[in-house]
Each structure stands twice: as C-alpha cells, then as structure tokens.
Amino acid sequence: MPDALPADQAVRNLIFAYAEAVDRGDFAAVARLFADADFVSGGATLTGDAVARMFEKTIILYDDGTPRTKHVTTNVAVEPDGPAATAASYFTVLQATPDLPFQPICAGRYDDRFALRDGRWRFAERRITLELVGNVAHHLRRPDRLPAALRP
C-alpha cells in the first residue's frame, strides 16, 4: 500500500520512529528501519541486523527493557526531491536511571537520506555526528571507547 502522507511528513515519521524504537529498547525495530540503508556512526557503516547487534553490544538496558532514555529530535529540515529526500536534524538524548538524575547525556546531528521504494519512504542512509557528550556511563557499556575528545 503506497504511503498516503506527503513526503516531508513520511520522512519525519521515520526520523521519529528511530527515536521511539531506541528509547523502547526495540533494536529489532531499528534494524528494520535500516534493512536496506547505511547507518554511519563512529567511523563504522552498518546495515540491517548489524545495526541491532551494535546497539545490543553497546547500550545498557535496564529492568524495564529500555535504556531509560528519551531522544528529542529538533530542527528537522526535510528536502524532498522526487523519489528521494534528505533531512538534517539535531538530537539530544536525555536519561534518568536509579543512579543517575534526569539529565542530557549527549547531543549531535543526523544527516539522513531517504528513498521512495515500492510506494513507501525508507531510510537510505543515516550519518550520526556526536557533538556534545555528558555522563554516558549509565548508557554505554564501554564509554571509554568514545574518542578522547568526546569523553566526559
């Protein structure tokens, strides 16, 4: 069934679906979003199930099955161009755990490409640029693996 939404809204919905899936700890849903797309972060390019495995290896999940985060995506600028689109946006990740008061833990930008395939908009590529990092010790299994310039 073709996507009935205008391109810009369909693309925004994909951007927000990513945030929701990560915050729910649903890494299989993240993998589905990138089934035919490149996920580029930290010098690595992953696709599909490899994205889920990377999240499973790096992100701490708590008793409720979530990372206890909220990804806030703002300044979303979508540029549709026929069967393709690009988007640039900012993200801020907030977290609270039993041992960490509610606070922002990191922020950066997404540079995304999308493609209209079989009547539905899909990710083609997501490039994540991490620009600000706070206390990620309750979020990442190995915060020491962040580049030295980004470590809290």
Side-chain angles (χ1 to χ4, degrees):
M1 175 180 207
D3 203 326
L5 294 173
D8 62 334
Q9 187 59 54
V11 163
R12 279 186 183 84
N13 286 355
L14 285 169
I15 291 168
F16 299 144
Y18 167 84
E20 182 179 0
V22 174
D23 291 338
R24 284 192 333 255
D26 188 352
F27 303 145
V30 175
R32 286 190 298 275
L33 288 170
F34 294 94
D36 300 310
D38 290 337
F39 183 92
V40 183
S41 178
T45 301
L46 305 170
T47 301
D49 289 337
V51 179
R53 287 191 301 275
M54 182 269 301
F55 275 78
E56 290 163 357
K57 288 179 185 176
T58 60
I59 295 178
I60 299 167
L61 296 181
Y62 290 85
D63 290 342
D64 64 356
T66 76
R68 307 279 304 151
T69 57
K70 290 296 176 195
H71 284 66
V72 179
T73 309
T74 61
N75 299 38
V76 180
V78 178
E79 294 291 334
D81 185 14
T86 58
S89 55
Y90 293 168
F91 68 88
T92 302
V93 180
L94 307 169
Q95 186 178 37
T97 74
D99 299 319
L100 180 76
F102 182 67
Q103 62 187 271
I105 60 168
C106 64
R109 66 178 290 122
Y110 299 133
D111 291 292
D112 297 322
R113 289 186 309 105
F114 301 88
L116 184 61
R117 293 189 201 120
D118 301 322
R120 299 189 59 80
W121 285 97
R122 302 175 193 274
F123 275 99
E125 179 183 75
R126 164 158 279 184
R127 290 187 174 272
I128 299 175
T129 304
L130 189 58
E131 297 172 323
L132 303 171
V133 179
N135 183 353
V136 293
H138 299 265
H139 183 56
L140 300 177
R141 295 182 191 280
R142 297 287 313 265
D144 59 312
R145 289 203 169 165
L146 283 172
L150 294 176
R151 284 191 211 134

